[in-house]
Amino acid sequence: MYTKHKWNSDTYFNFQYVQYLPKDYDESKKYPLVFFLHGAGERGDDLDVAMRHGYMKHVRESGREYPFIFVAPQCPDEKYWACYTESLFAFLDDICQTLPIDMDRVYLTGLSMGGTGTWMLALAEPERFAAIAPVCGTGVCWYGEKLKDTPVCIYHGDCDELVPLHESVSMIKSIHQHGGNAELHICYGVAHNAWDVAYEGDELMNWMLGHTRKKKD
């Protein structure tokens, strides 16, 4: 079941967002959280547009069910996710405090502009996430050391002309150079819409849910 909400804060940007709760949701249990950042084409003030791609597409179109809580804020028109870094972290904190979230199983993923947003948030505070999955986004390759302890799974089309594949290749090389755990799924024959591959089946979902945040010594 998914519902539409508006986050209210006196200090940070007030996102509207979509929330999905698993079937047989029980407040006494702890659930994994998938935090999702949409692409540039889903900006605005229409949450139905924000659910056009990714896991919520399958919930809406086929009633598919997932074993995690899903939260997806919407970015305003003509803005991008990096404009709201502090607000996104404050929003995420509030979600984790008000819903029964397993704090060691918080996952971050996003596509296109949201793939870039995934890189940006994870590079800013990698310790928050059990794993991240940027889809056809742009990272900061000279900063890859920040993700050496964060599992990373990337999807990118080899025919992508909007965000070239080398953006993801540069990131994975940087992470590997620092001993990190990152994998790249090249979607052959696919242009910018690598999200159609990434979120279609269970592969990415199972990969994310298979990771638990590492405890600091």
Side-chain angles (χ1 to χ4, degrees), residues 18-21 32-36 55-56 68-72:
V18 173
Q19 175 180 293
Y20 168 85
L21 301 178
L33 170 67
V34 173
F35 194 62
F36 174 78
Y55 292 125
M56 286 303 97
F68 48 75
I69 292 174
F70 177 94
V71 170

Side-chain angles (χ1 to χ4, degrees), residues 1 20-24 55-56 58-60 62-68 202 205:
M1 178 181 68
Y20 168 85
L21 301 178
K23 184 180 179 181
D24 301 325
Y55 292 125
M56 286 303 97
H58 301 296
V59 171
R60 294 183 68 205
S62 65
R64 186 169 180 185
E65 297 173 356
Y66 293 100
F68 48 75
D202 294 340
M205 177 186 72

Side-chain angles (χ1 to χ4, degrees), residues 28-42:
S28 68
K29 297 180 179 179
K30 294 288 187 180
Y31 292 89
L33 170 67
V34 173
F35 194 62
F36 174 78
L37 302 178
H38 63 68
E42 292 75 63

Side-chain angles (χ1 to χ4, degrees), residues 60-137:
R60 294 183 68 205
E61 294 183 355
S62 65
R64 186 169 180 185
E65 297 173 356
Y66 293 100
F68 48 75
I69 292 174
F70 177 94
V71 170
Q74 187 171 34
C75 186
D77 280 326
E78 300 183 3
K79 298 291 185 179
Y80 52 97
W81 290 117
C83 297
Y84 301 104
T85 300
E86 291 186 358
S87 292
L88 285 166
F89 281 130
F91 172 58
L92 178 57
D93 284 340
D94 191 56
I95 289 295
C96 291
Q97 290 167 7
T98 55
L99 291 174
I101 303 299
D102 182 346
M103 294 301 294
D104 291 324
R105 302 184 72 198
V106 175
Y107 309 102
L108 175 63
T109 186
L111 60 91
S112 190
M113 182 186 80
T116 300
T118 296
W119 285 121
M120 297 302 103
L121 289 187
L123 287 167
E125 297 191 21
E127 67 279 357
R128 284 178 175 262
F129 305 108
I132 68 166
V135 179
C136 58

Side-chain angles (χ1 to χ4, degrees), residues 2-208:
Y2 71 87
T3 50
K4 302 174 182 179
H5 303 268
K6 179 71 175 287
W7 184 54
N8 294 310
S9 169
D10 294 331
T11 306
Y12 300 99
F13 180 77
N14 288 198
F15 296 104
Q16 60 176 2
Y17 66 99
V18 173
Q19 175 180 293
Y20 168 85
L21 301 178
K23 184 180 179 181
D24 301 325
Y25 172 73
D26 184 345
E27 290 185 349
S28 68
K29 297 180 179 179
K30 294 288 187 180
Y31 292 89
L33 170 67
V34 173
F35 194 62
F36 174 78
L37 302 178
H38 63 68
E42 292 75 63
R43 291 176 292 186
D45 56 9
D46 184 347
L47 282 171
D48 288 329
V49 172
M51 295 186 290
R52 187 163 55 185
H53 302 300
Y55 292 125
M56 286 303 97
K57 171 187 176 182
H58 301 296
V59 171
R60 294 183 68 205
E61 294 183 355
S62 65
R64 186 169 180 185
E65 297 173 356
Y66 293 100
F68 48 75
I69 292 174
F70 177 94
V71 170
Q74 187 171 34
C75 186
D77 280 326
E78 300 183 3
K79 298 291 185 179
Y80 52 97
W81 290 117
C83 297
Y84 301 104
T85 300
E86 291 186 358
S87 292
L88 285 166
F89 281 130
F91 172 58
L92 178 57
D93 284 340
D94 191 56
I95 289 295
C96 291
Q97 290 167 7
T98 55
L99 291 174
I101 303 299
D102 182 346
M103 294 301 294
D104 291 324
R105 302 184 72 198
V106 175
Y107 309 102
L108 175 63
T109 186
L111 60 91
S112 190
M113 182 186 80
T116 300
T118 296
W119 285 121
M120 297 302 103
L121 289 187
L123 287 167
E125 297 191 21
E127 67 279 357
R128 284 178 175 262
F129 305 108
I132 68 166
V135 179
C136 58
T138 302
V140 184
C141 62
W142 60 89
Y143 214 43
E145 184 178 4
K146 291 284 287 184
L147 295 174
K148 63 183 179 64
D149 296 320
T150 303
V152 178
C153 184
I154 311 165
Y155 282 77
H156 212 128
D158 70 329
C159 298
D160 193 335
E161 296 183 354
L162 185 61
V163 181
L165 175 60
H166 71 74
E167 294 287 350
S168 288
V169 171
S170 295
M171 284 303 300
I172 199 168
K173 285 183 176 179
S174 178
I175 295 168
H176 284 170
Q177 285 172 359
H178 293 95
N181 173 18
E183 57 185 71
L184 171 60
H185 294 258
I186 300 175
C187 306
Y188 292 101
V190 175
H192 190 51
N193 59 318
W195 53 81
D196 288 338
V197 178
Y199 301 112
E200 177 63 29
D202 294 340
E203 184 177 31
L204 177 57
M205 177 186 72
N206 290 337
W207 179 88
M208 286 192 292

